[in-house]
Amino acid sequence: MLHTQISAFLSSPPEAVWQAVTDNTDYAWRSGIDELRVLSDTTFVEKSGRMETYFTITHFEPCRLYAFDMQNSRFSGRWAGTFSAYGTGTQVVFTETLQFKNPVVRAVAFCFMPLHKMQRTYLQDLRKKLGEAGGQRRG
């Protein structure tokens, strides 16, 4: 199992951060995916290259908690984002856990799966979406 967590302070208010993260109809700002299709109120699929990953939203507490289960041919897992007002900005914590289906991939995934890099890229894309140049990390 692979687990990673990243936290950051964003100068945007929680409502703006929440809207950007949870609006699955506006995904062009995300450099890591090619397409996103909403299947229902609680399910969507992301396509990156030829890989499709299916998501089922498990928690949706506005401006507090957004979480989902995810699955594709290579792994299953969970992602959770927490949002907290911090002064005039927002403290976010994104946690991801993956379980690889192939035992060989599972054995070497920690060395070759750039999960933390993917989370940093997502956070960088989010900052650009919100019009933030940099930002401070907290936690």
Side-chain angles (χ1 to χ4, degrees):
M1 188 174 312
L2 199 58
H3 176 85
T4 188
Q5 185 174 75
I6 191 168
S7 65
F9 173 76
L10 302 167
S11 59
S12 299
E15 297 80 11
V17 178
W18 177 263
Q19 178 64 29
V21 171
T22 62
D23 183 358
N24 288 324
T25 63
D26 178 18
Y27 64 89
W29 58 273
R30 295 188 49 205
S31 63
I33 61 172
D34 300 320
E35 180 183 357
L36 190 151
R37 293 186 320 271
V38 175
L39 304 176
S40 75
D41 287 346
T42 58
T43 59
F44 59 98
V45 61
E46 290 180 357
K47 186 174 181 182
S48 180
R50 295 190 324 206
M51 178 67 64
E52 287 190 339
T53 304
Y54 290 83
F55 298 83
T56 302
I57 299 169
T58 58
H59 292 87
F60 193 91
E61 298 174 34
C63 298
R64 294 189 59 211
L65 174 63
Y66 183 51
F68 46 74
D69 293 337
M70 53 192 163
Q71 173 130 349
N72 65 26
S73 61
R74 295 181 185 161
F75 66 81
S76 61
R78 296 177 186 263
W79 183 93
T82 60
F83 306 76
S84 305
Y86 191 88
T88 59
T90 307
Q91 177 74 33
V92 295
V93 178
F94 299 140
T95 304
E96 192 164 4
T97 304
L98 299 180
Q99 179 68 44
F100 292 91
K101 296 176 180 180
N102 182 311
V104 174
V105 173
R106 191 177 313 139
V108 297
F110 187 78
C111 298
F112 298 103
M113 182 70 176
L115 192 56
H116 196 69
K117 181 180 185 296
M118 291 168 53
Q119 283 200 328
R120 284 193 314 267
T121 299
Y122 178 82
L123 191 55
Q124 182 180 15
D125 290 348
L126 179 58
R127 287 185 195 283
K128 288 179 188 174
K129 166 71 175 165
L130 296 168
E132 299 184 14
Q136 303 166 3
R137 287 184 60 158
R138 299 201 190 272

